[in-house]
Amino acid sequence: MDKLQEYKSKRDFSKTGEPKGKTKGSKQGLIYTIQKHNARNLHYDLRLEWDGVLKSWAIPKGPSTDPSQKKLAIPTEDHPLEYADFEGIIPENQYGAGTVIVWDKGTYENAKPDISVPEALEKGKLEIFIKGQKLKGAYVLLRTGSKQDQDARWLFIKMKDQYADARRNPINTEPRSVISGLTIEELEEKTAKPS
Ligand code: MN
C-alpha cells in the first residue's frame, strides 16, 4: 500500500513544485517541522516523521508556548519526508494553493517510548519532546472524543516544563522561515518579481 496515495491523488505534479514523494527514513532523529501556509485560510502545518512519512495536522491558530492554550489540530494526509524542507508557492487551482514557509524545524522524540507513535495516536494521546528552533520541550497531541466520533478533534498543547512560557508568542514575534529567513510576504514578493 502506498502511504502517500492520498497526498499524490490531491496534487498535479506537472503544476505544483511540491515534492512527489518517496518514502525513506531519515538518519538523524525523527523530523519535526511546522510550515506556515498562507492558503485560503492561514494555518500552520505540524508534521512528525513516522515510518517513512510525515504524519500531519493543520493548526488553524498556530502553536503556542503557553500551557494554558489548547490549539485545535486537524489531522491531514501523510506527506513525504522531503516535504519538510518545502517552501514556495503552490499555484492557483492546485490543492492547498498559496504560500508555504518552513516556520520551524528540528527533531522530536516520543516522550513515552513504551507506547509506539501509532499506538499513541490510536489511543488519542501522543506525548512528544520537540527540539526545534522556536518550539522546544514537551508537547501533547490529544484527541477529544472517541476515535469513532466523526467530530473528534485533536488539540496541540504545550506541557509544563522549563520551556513553557506564557509570555512568548512566537507566532507573532518570530514569523520568519528558519530556512530562508523570509516571511510569507517576502517570499511572495520575491517570487512575483522576476530577478
Ligand atoms: Mn496546509
Side-chain angles (χ1 to χ4, degrees), residues 37 43 45 47 58:
H37 186 183
H43 60 271
D45 290 298
R47 308 194 196 279

Side-chain angles (χ1 to χ4, degrees), residues 171-192:
I171 289 301
N172 290 330
T173 61
E174 299 168 60
R176 291 177 182 280
S177 160
V178 294
I179 290 185
S180 61
L182 301 173
T183 63
I184 287 266
E185 295 74 21
E186 286 167 353
L187 179 64
E188 285 169 356
E189 246 173 74
K190 198 181 143 209
T191 312

